[in-house]
Amino acid sequence: MLKTSIRLFLLVSVLSAISPAQVHSPCPTSLSTSNNPPTIARTGDLICLVPQIYGPAGLVGQNFDGPLLSTTGHSVHFQAAAVNDFGPINSEIGVQLSQLPLASPASGFVFSFNPSLGVVARSTESFGPILTDRAETIGKRKLFLGVSYQFFNYDNADGVNLRNFGVVLTHEPEPTVCATSPSTPGCSTTGVPTYTHDVVATQNSLDLKVHQATIVATYGITDRLDLSIAVPLLEVRMGVYSSATIFNFEQPPVNHAFASVTPSKYETYNSPTNALFFNGSSSSGIGDIVLRGKFLAWKGEHSSVALGMDAHLPTGNANNFLGAGTWGIRPFATYTYSGRISPHATVGVQTDGNSVLAGDVTTQPATTAHLPDIITYSAGVDAGIIRRLSVSVDFLGQSLLDAAKIATTTYSDYVGDTHPNIRSSTGTVNQDSIAGGIKANLAGKLLFTANVLYQFNKSGLHSKPIPLAGLSYTF
């Protein structure tokens, strides 16, 4: 098992290292005002919903297929701010949707040879944890099959209310205007054109829901070695709404304004200084398949220690937030004390490769960056209440290293008025959750599972309580 784990670690490390640094972008929005701009169409890929909230070309003039009236001499307007300020939100969503919790592949029934009886018999008094793991292996030639369903309804990110948050988009600098046109208002007093102080204050809402069904299977190769597979099937629904208001600080005619357009699904023109925008889509398909090997390294009279390795395969479409877009590996260790009341604990470290989810999708080609590595840790207890019913309570934590984070702040404009805004940073994101549930033996070796996961801090992408229901059978 140790040699196999080392080989798997080296293989995935090499695959991650040679993953391409550049991939094709479905929405190179930042290039819409370049000298030879590519044709940019609105796409339904979820990774493009935020960058294209103001249209396929972004927050630019009509001459570049944007929502603003064209102005002379400066056509980029607020494009860079829209890309840079909304980018961390997009990255946080994509990265953390690739790390959704899965139902444990640990069998509710564990079998081992009983020397006093001379037969293989069930060796645990509870049906085990639900979202975490236990050290015991299923038993030689035993097969566990399970299916579960989870629903995620995200409401905030790092404490920022996703249903109501402000972002202030500032104008691009114009460093050459005052040298070439010194009579431009503002040049003689502040050294920069007054219109570059204009801002677009936006009030936004993001609706994000995920349905996840997971099929798991575990097979006992020997009494000490299990091999498992988890296949997640996802449906992700996402909608972005933005009310954008222009604040001009220069007298007409050099004013920024929205172009009057016929109302559509994507844009509603209210006035020259205000418009409403929408972009939304959904995706469904297979997520990232997880392969697991678990070896029972030590077994005492009641205590057990297992060592294992998870391999995350990039089978999900990262552009549609169905997968990470890169390989990942997670070695872990699990401890269990067996009894009617059975405590357990697991710690692991997941190493990931480069992904477009951590890069920039608004360029062509899109760039990739290292997906945050993750330290995972959990502890809990499961207990057999009666012969056919057990309960499980777990603490689950994970620390995403060097991950994108956002926070609320304010922006003071040219005349001193303040507007709600967000700021971005990079650091460790510590997410802590508690889960509680039951496993009921309906008949034979058929188990019904029900669980609720509650994240009690608001670090990272946060969902309302996450229900789980599932069925499993051990052969």
Side-chain angles (χ1 to χ4, degrees):
M1 175 64 183
L2 179 59
K3 291 182 179 179
T4 301
S5 298
I6 293 174
R7 289 169 182 165
L8 180 61
F9 179 87
L10 293 174
L11 173 62
V12 177
S13 298
V14 170
L15 289 171
S16 300
I18 65 175
S19 60
Q22 297 179 329
V23 295
H24 176 77
S25 169
C27 51
T29 308
S30 65
L31 304 181
S32 62
T33 56
S34 59
N35 291 332
N36 295 297
T39 300
I40 304 175
R42 188 183 294 273
T43 172
D45 289 355
L46 299 191
I47 198 172
C48 296
L49 294 187
V50 171
Q52 293 190 328
I53 178 61
Y54 302 114
L59 197 53
V60 294
Q62 280 186 308
N63 53 328
F64 289 100
D65 198 25
L68 297 171
L69 286 175
S70 301
T71 52
T72 303
H74 64 293
S75 56
V76 177
H77 295 299
F78 306 92
Q79 179 72 309
V83 169
N84 295 332
D85 294 350
F86 281 104
I89 300 174
N90 210 39
S91 177
E92 184 160 347
I93 291 171
V95 167
Q96 295 190 39
L97 284 188
S98 71
Q99 306 296 331
L100 296 180
L102 301 175
S104 171
S107 172
F109 293 90
V110 174
F111 299 89
S112 63
F113 181 75
N114 188 323
S116 62
L117 298 178
V119 297
V120 174
R122 180 182 170 190
S123 58
T124 57
E125 298 182 60
S126 72
F127 297 123
I130 297 171
L131 291 174
T132 58
D133 209 339
R134 61 181 177 185
E136 294 96 343
T137 48
I138 187 174
K140 186 177 181 179
R141 296 180 182 174
K142 296 296 181 179
L143 174 64
F144 166 79
L145 295 176
V147 61
S148 63
Y149 166 80
Q150 293 165 281
F151 174 66
F152 304 80
N153 185 5
Y154 292 97
D155 55 2
N156 72 72
D158 297 312
V160 176
N161 183 0
L162 291 179
R163 307 297 166 83
N164 185 17
F165 63 95
V167 176
V168 177
L169 308 177
T170 56
H171 197 286
E172 276 81 2
E174 299 280 354
T176 63
V177 169
C178 287
T180 57
S181 302
S183 61
T184 302
C187 287
S188 62
T189 55
T190 64
V192 296
T194 301
Y195 65 77
T196 60
H197 296 290
D198 294 353
V199 298
V200 179
T202 68
Q203 203 62 33
N204 311 280
S205 177
L206 194 152
D207 184 35
L208 179 62
K209 296 180 175 68
V210 179
H211 301 268
Q212 177 173 264
T214 306
I215 301 169
V216 297
T218 297
Y219 183 74
I221 303 298
T222 70
D223 284 335
R224 287 181 173 268
L225 176 62
D226 286 351
L227 295 181
S228 303
I229 183 172
V231 182
L233 305 172
L234 298 103
E235 181 187 47
V236 184
R237 295 181 175 272
M238 182 173 170
V240 188
Y241 306 81
S242 183
S243 173
T245 302
I246 300 173
F247 288 83
N248 290 298
F249 300 109
E250 183 173 326
Q251 295 300 313
V254 186
N255 279 166
H256 296 97
F258 290 111
S260 178
V261 296
T262 302
S264 68
K265 171 184 176 182
Y266 299 107
E267 181 181 353
T268 301
Y269 171 85
N270 290 328
S271 72
T273 58
N274 180 261
L276 303 177
F277 297 87
F278 168 78
N279 203 9
S281 188
S282 64
S283 65
S284 60
I286 190 171
D288 286 351
I289 293 175
V290 181
L291 303 179
R292 167 175 291 187
K294 186 175 74 173
F295 180 71
L296 184 59
W298 175 77
K299 182 174 178 60
E301 182 178 356
H302 294 288
S303 298
S304 303
V305 175
L307 302 176
M309 178 81 74
D310 289 341
H312 295 250
L313 313 185
T315 50
N317 185 340
N319 284 352
N320 276 313
F321 293 159
L322 298 176
T326 186
W327 296 77
I329 56 170
R330 174 181 170 265
F332 65 89
T334 298
Y335 168 81
T336 300
Y337 183 89
S338 300
R340 181 170 293 276
I341 298 176
S342 180
H344 49 264
T346 300
V347 62
V349 178
Q350 181 172 322
T351 302
D352 296 308
N354 294 333
S355 170
V356 68
L357 297 179
D360 185 0
V361 75
T362 68
T363 63
Q364 191 64 278
T367 61
T368 64
H370 185 73
L371 211 64
D373 295 332
I374 306 171
I375 300 173
T376 61
Y377 41 93
S378 64
V381 61
D382 53 273
I385 303 302
I386 57 177
R387 182 172 174 269
R388 290 184 176 270
L389 178 68
S390 69
V391 298
S392 176
V393 177
D394 282 293
F395 165 81
L396 298 92
Q398 62 177 16
S399 297
L400 287 77
L401 309 179
D402 295 322
K405 301 192 292 183
I406 59 175
T408 57
T409 184
T410 57
Y411 177 87
S412 296
D413 64 23
Y414 185 60
V415 297
D417 292 335
T418 60
H419 309 274
N421 197 17
I422 61 171
R423 57 179 173 84
S424 62
S425 62
T426 301
T428 300
V429 175
N430 297 309
Q431 297 178 301
D432 299 322
S433 304
I434 190 167
I438 63 167
K439 286 187 176 182
N441 184 199
L442 301 182
K445 300 185 183 91
L446 178 66
L447 290 180
F448 167 76
T449 301
N451 186 82
V452 175
L453 176 68
Y454 173 74
Q455 184 180 340
F456 56 82
N457 69 350
K458 293 187 177 181
S459 183
L461 195 60
H462 178 278
S463 174
K464 295 179 180 179
I466 303 161
L468 176 151
L471 290 172
S472 62
Y473 196 88
T474 303
F475 297 86

